[in-house]
Amino acid sequence: MEDTQASDARRLGHFRQILLWPLQLMPLREGSQIHRHWAWLEEARPDNPWREVDDEFTDDPAGFQQRHYSEFVTFLPHVQRFLYGEGRTRGGAPGESPIRVFRRRDVARVRCTYPGDALAPAEFDIAHIDLYFFFDLDIAVLNVELHGDDISLDCAQETLFRLGRAYPTYWESNGDPGHCLKRTEWLDADGRVLATSDDEQRHAFLQHVSRYRAPRVAAHWDFLLQPLVPHHSDRSGPLRYRQLEYHRMPVMAYAAVDGDPRDLDASDFVRLGLITASGPPGRMPVRVPDFEQRFCYDRFWVPQAGGTPGSRYMGCGESFVLVGSARVPYFYTPGGSLLEEFRHQYFLLFLIPHMHKAALLMMSDRLVYALKRLDIQDPETIKRFKREIRQLREIFLRFTHRYWFHRVSDQIQARDLYRKTAEFLATEELYEEVRQRVQDMAEYLEEDTGRRQANTVLRLTVVTAFGLIGTTVTGYFGMNILELDGLSPVARTLYFLVIFAGMTWLTFYTVMKSKGLSDFLDALSDERVSIGRKLGALLGVWRRPRG
């Protein structure tokens, strides 16, 4: 009987995996602050498989279900406005949501081939493949959701561990890509192969990094993102992206165990919670002495025998895993139950902190890029640098007021799960770091502007001080040093031009020597300085090298 229970616990009645891949989008136009990248996908082109997802929050009562209502009331009002847009006012239209979602429907299944001979290839249904855009943020999030029924726990663990890899980190001696599936194939509804992974092509990945100093995206992920193209490549396209984080994509997993999930070994929970490769029960993949305290949320978990086991939530920031029994209707009922909350409420609780992290990394990268293009010897790059920093400061302020949340819900469970994910991702620390960097840049610009203005005032003061001598002398003579009344208009014009040219040259020359003249005036006004040193300061005006 115990062997049967253990066998049931190691099979999943239903398995679901959700991958998130945050990406940085490159600006469409130089110098512009807001880029509507999704506008290009709104146009129906032969090479564009993406179509915008209709807003489910419409005036049609038939399309608005109870699960939409439950999802909506989970969040606080300011988060509701971010996720769903402004509500309709009297006589007005509903506001537009800052989130735009596009979906491709040509990929119906994925076939996973695992390294070694322990597991046979497995196929999973694709629930959807979406691309999330956020207004005023140059980021996009690829979302892939897949599911399968009646699979082994080992198969689920291997799929979680190996599928969400943008590229391999190394290659085995037999040529298999490290930590990746042996082969990944996207299939259409008729079973035709649309794209296949090329992780085993070691030379192509090495050559790409050697040439572009950036990792190469595997072919099957590159296919999903088309017509978006990698920024570090020779391919042309208006929508270009670059990676922001590690090659391993954040992942969510839902595991409905056939039997009692309490029969799983502690090592199985560690493998699921930390997304490690499969292994025999009893053998810990890593040493985590405080695993349950740090990575588990057991508010609804009943570890003792008897009654329903409840559900166990696990996560490490880059993962969110929900484990329960497929025999409990509340945990698993197709089209309802906790499965729908996992796909919607918990998905948003996982998406928001990862969006925060991606946006902050994007802004940090933009700061570095602006500094890299700065040449302090080139006035044009200085002007461009100031303009870019001011734009980034404005973008950061809008991000803070539109997207940055410390709390998203007052429901205890949603609040706690969001807080744990944000703490693991260290978004608070990253926010403070980026805020300080932007502030430092802004203070530098203000100080530089103040210094330049002070230098300008200093030069004008010196010119005024020395110009006062000539003004006083000519004023004493009544401005009539030369008798010009009897001269012809041409002679008067020539006199005017000569005096104008001379005074202009004298003024410009005084400005050129204003720094030295300023030092001379300082020495002249200091009673402690001797006459000899004052004369030396005057002569130093012409001994100073120019520039």
Side-chain angles (χ1 to χ4, degrees):
M1 182 67 178
E2 293 181 358
D3 293 341
T4 302
Q5 291 178 347
S7 176
D8 288 342
R10 298 195 66 79
R11 292 203 68 81
L12 305 182
H14 184 77
F15 167 72
R16 192 168 291 259
Q17 177 176 350
I18 300 176
L19 292 168
L20 295 179
W21 190 14
L23 298 166
Q24 178 180 354
L25 299 174
M26 306 310 295
L28 296 175
R29 296 170 302 278
E30 183 75 20
S32 179
Q33 286 196 46
I34 299 176
H35 305 272
R36 300 175 181 269
H37 295 87
W38 60 85
W40 197 90
L41 294 182
E42 289 177 334
E43 302 179 16
R45 294 184 175 92
D47 61 340
N48 177 25
W50 300 96
R51 297 294 180 268
E52 188 167 9
V53 178
D54 294 333
D55 188 3
E56 296 171 324
F57 285 69
T58 62
D59 294 333
D60 182 11
F64 192 81
Q65 305 171 15
Q66 180 174 327
R67 71 103 177 151
H68 297 125
Y69 179 82
S70 299
E71 173 189 329
F72 180 81
V73 299
T74 298
F75 300 97
L76 292 171
H78 59 279
V79 185
Q80 292 170 355
R81 289 189 288 271
F82 153 60
L83 294 173
Y84 312 107
E86 292 284 351
R88 182 187 297 274
T89 58
R90 182 178 180 180
E96 183 182 18
S97 170
I99 303 177
R100 305 292 291 270
V101 184
F102 288 76
R103 178 171 297 172
R104 60 182 305 164
R105 294 179 170 84
D106 53 333
V107 182
R109 297 177 64 81
V110 58
R111 180 186 298 139
C112 302
T113 303
Y114 306 93
D117 301 324
L119 292 174
E123 289 190 10
F124 298 93
D125 292 320
I126 298 293
H128 57 248
I129 299 175
D130 294 339
L131 198 58
Y132 283 73
F133 294 91
F134 303 88
F135 180 77
D136 202 16
L137 293 178
D138 294 340
I139 62 172
V141 178
L142 178 67
N143 167 224
V144 179
E145 180 178 342
L146 55 99
H147 60 91
D149 297 326
D150 191 24
I151 67 171
S152 68
L153 179 62
D154 290 338
C155 180
Q157 290 173 342
E158 286 293 303
T159 306
L160 287 172
F161 178 68
R162 298 182 182 278
L163 177 60
R165 307 276 181 166
Y167 51 86
T169 54
Y170 71 98
W171 289 264
E172 303 286 355
S173 57
N174 62 357
D176 287 347
H179 294 163
C180 296
L181 292 168
K182 187 179 182 65
R183 184 181 300 107
T184 306
E185 298 168 293
W186 304 117
L187 312 176
D188 65 8
D190 297 326
R192 292 189 294 267
V193 177
L194 299 175
T196 305
S197 62
D198 62 348
D199 292 326
E200 73 283 355
Q201 296 183 14
R202 183 173 65 94
H203 179 71
F205 287 90
L206 296 179
Q207 189 178 42
H208 190 277
V209 172
S210 175
R211 181 178 181 183
Y212 294 104
R213 301 297 189 270
R216 176 180 181 269
V217 176
H220 58 299
W221 294 114
D222 179 74
F223 168 80
L224 280 192
L225 288 170
Q226 292 176 3
L228 280 72
V229 298
H231 180 59
H232 296 285
S233 70
D234 292 334
R235 293 156 57 187
S236 60
L239 301 180
R240 309 185 69 85
Y241 67 88
R242 63 190 301 176
Q243 297 185 67
L244 281 168
E245 302 183 55
Y246 191 47
H247 77 290
R248 190 171 183 176
M249 304 174 191
V251 60
M252 299 177 65
Y254 175 92
V257 180
D258 268 345
D260 191 331
R262 291 173 294 197
D263 293 331
L264 290 174
D265 189 78
S267 62
D268 292 321
F269 283 113
V270 172
R271 291 187 178 92
L272 286 172
L274 301 183
I275 313 297
T276 66
S278 63
R283 182 184 298 174
M284 285 288 183
V286 290
R287 287 182 54 84
V288 188
D290 55 349
F291 173 76
E292 293 187 352
Q293 289 73 26
R294 290 183 59 195
F295 303 105
C296 296
Y297 183 78
D298 289 341
R299 183 181 180 88
F300 304 102
W301 178 246
V302 183
Q304 63 271 17
T308 58
S311 53
R312 166 167 268 192
Y313 298 79
M314 298 177 290
C316 62
E318 298 299 330
S319 67
F320 177 87
V321 182
L322 181 55
V323 180
S325 174
R327 300 177 182 178
V328 178
Y330 174 72
F331 184 81
Y332 176 58
T333 299
S337 70
L338 202 58
L339 174 60
E340 292 305 308
E341 292 186 27
F342 170 83
R343 298 184 61 204
H344 299 98
Q345 286 96 309
Y346 296 144
F347 168 75
L348 292 175
L349 289 172
F350 192 67
L351 171 68
I352 292 173
H354 281 278
M355 180 272 290
H356 286 168
K357 183 179 180 181
L360 291 168
L361 289 175
M362 177 272 296
M363 285 184 274
S364 178
D365 181 80
R366 294 272 293 273
L367 283 171
V368 174
Y369 182 67
L371 275 172
K372 186 174 67 174
R373 297 203 301 170
L374 173 63
D375 182 0
I376 60 175
Q377 305 297 330
D378 186 351
E380 290 301 320
T381 65
I382 295 175
K383 294 178 182 178
R384 182 181 61 198
F385 175 74
K386 290 182 177 181
R387 184 169 57 251
E388 291 176 347
I389 295 303
R390 292 192 183 96
Q391 289 177 353
L392 278 172
R393 190 180 189 184
E394 294 169 4
I395 291 172
F396 182 79
L397 288 174
R398 291 196 297 269
F399 165 79
T400 298
H401 293 285
R402 180 182 286 128
Y403 296 111
W404 181 247
F405 315 118
H406 296 281
R407 296 177 63 172
V408 298
S409 176
D410 277 339
Q411 295 182 13
I412 296 177
Q413 183 178 356
R415 182 187 64 199
D416 292 346
L417 291 174
Y418 174 80
R419 177 181 53 81
K420 286 178 68 71
T421 302
E423 287 178 354
F424 276 118
L425 295 177
T427 52
E428 291 280 354
E429 292 84 348
L430 182 58
Y431 176 86
E432 287 300 319
E433 179 182 340
V434 175
R435 185 190 66 81
Q436 187 61 50
R437 289 184 179 182
V438 172
Q439 185 65 27
D440 291 343
M441 292 290 186
E443 291 177 356
Y444 164 75
L445 293 181
E446 292 176 0
E447 292 175 359
D448 183 68
T449 301
R451 179 182 61 82
R452 291 176 180 274
Q453 290 176 349
N455 288 337
T456 301
V457 171
L458 173 65
R459 287 173 169 81
L460 291 177
T461 302
V462 170
V463 172
T464 303
F466 282 91
L468 183 62
I469 300 173
T471 302
T472 304
V473 173
T474 54
Y476 177 79
F477 287 101
M479 299 297 294
N480 294 316
I481 299 176
L482 299 176
E483 182 62 41
L484 304 179
D485 292 340
L487 298 179
S488 65
V490 175
R492 291 183 182 184
T493 303
L494 290 176
Y495 269 111
F496 172 78
L497 293 176
V498 170
I499 298 301
F500 178 79
M503 293 306 298
T504 301
W505 176 86
L506 182 61
T507 302
F508 287 169
Y509 184 77
T510 306
V511 172
M512 292 169 56
K513 297 296 182 179
S514 59
K515 184 63 174 65
L517 291 172
S518 174
D519 294 340
F520 166 67
L521 292 178
D522 288 339
L524 189 64
S525 63
D526 192 345
E527 297 179 353
R528 295 169 299 178
V529 177
S530 64
I531 298 297
R533 292 182 58 186
K534 291 178 180 180
L535 292 176
L538 178 59
L539 295 176
V541 174
W542 290 274
R543 287 200 298 262
R544 292 177 177 271
R546 293 188 178 182

